[in-house]
Amino acid sequence: MCAPAWTDEQLTELRGRLNRRTGTARCANRGANMVAVVQGMPADTVIDAMRDLVPRLPIGTGLERRGLTGAAATILDAQAALALAGTGGPAVPFDGAWLAATLFPQADRLAPLLEPAVGPAASHPELALTVRGFADNGFSLTATGRALHLHPNTVKYRLNRWRELTGWDVHTWPGLSASLLGLGLAQAGAFGPRDRG
């Protein structure tokens, strides 16, 4: 797991709390991040202990892997997921956000391709919610409507409006992938103000 760097006092307190649990935990600052590597301890236990000490802490978690090489890869996963974590939001697991976490460092290079999501998502958050809902509900207008408490025709209208504003048709792989990646990176703050000089 990774979080922004902690003070020595916070690290000592966290280590003490985790050492009273079953399993092994090692926590230390590494550059700008605090890294927690655990074995035989549920991730939620560590996350809860971290949040007890720093309540609105952004946290990224990596995949479970074996050995030292695996631990090193897991730390890289957690650092990538941390870049997507919002203050006070849920911990971001790499296994659920791996694509956006992997692309986040390339956001400047990808901006010309994915930035069309930013304006429409900001000015029409209901469209962004509908696009995500469509992807999460098997690309079904009916299931999306049920999940979002909308009539299927409203879902269809919103998806068509998204296409008009972005040029992306979510019924196609290129349109859906660009939409979801653009929304994910925009939500993570990847597309900030730029010098268009």
Side-chain angles (χ1 to χ4, degrees):
M1 282 164 228
C2 284
W6 286 31
T7 66
D8 289 340
E9 293 79 18
Q10 289 171 318
L11 280 172
T12 300
E13 178 65 24
L14 179 62
R15 288 180 192 125
R17 289 178 184 217
L18 295 177
N19 286 338
R20 292 190 287 265
R21 307 281 183 170
T22 302
T24 303
R26 297 291 178 254
C27 308
N29 285 328
R30 181 179 180 201
N33 295 328
M34 187 278 287
V35 176
V37 178
V38 298
Q39 184 178 9
M41 187 180 300
D44 288 344
T45 298
V46 182
I47 291 168
D48 290 345
M50 291 167 71
R51 289 257 170 90
D52 281 347
L53 293 169
V54 183
R56 297 184 45 77
L57 182 69
I59 299 172
T61 65
L63 297 175
E64 287 186 33
R65 294 192 174 91
R66 294 182 171 274
L68 292 176
T69 304
T74 296
I75 291 169
L76 292 176
D77 294 348
Q79 289 172 329
L82 176 61
L84 302 177
T87 302
V92 175
F94 186 77
D95 65 347
W98 66 270
L99 187 54
T102 303
L103 293 176
F104 187 83
Q106 303 298 319
D108 285 342
R109 200 164 62 85
L110 296 173
L113 299 172
L114 301 176
E115 216 168 20
V118 176
S123 58
H124 303 285
E126 73 284 359
L127 300 182
L129 180 69
T130 305
V131 168
R132 286 188 178 106
F134 184 67
D136 290 342
N137 288 283
F139 317 109
S140 164
L141 299 176
T142 303
T144 303
R146 212 174 306 124
L148 299 178
H149 307 288
L150 299 171
H151 191 279
N153 286 343
T154 303
V155 173
K156 183 177 180 180
Y157 168 79
R158 288 182 178 182
L159 295 178
N160 287 335
R161 183 73 177 128
W162 179 259
R163 186 185 70 238
E164 290 170 5
L165 294 173
T166 64
W168 297 332
D169 182 353
V170 297
H171 295 93
T172 68
W173 170 247
L176 181 63
S177 60
S179 295
L180 294 175
L181 290 171
L183 289 171
L185 292 176
Q187 183 178 9
F191 304 128
R194 287 184 166 70
D195 177 17
R196 298 291 184 197

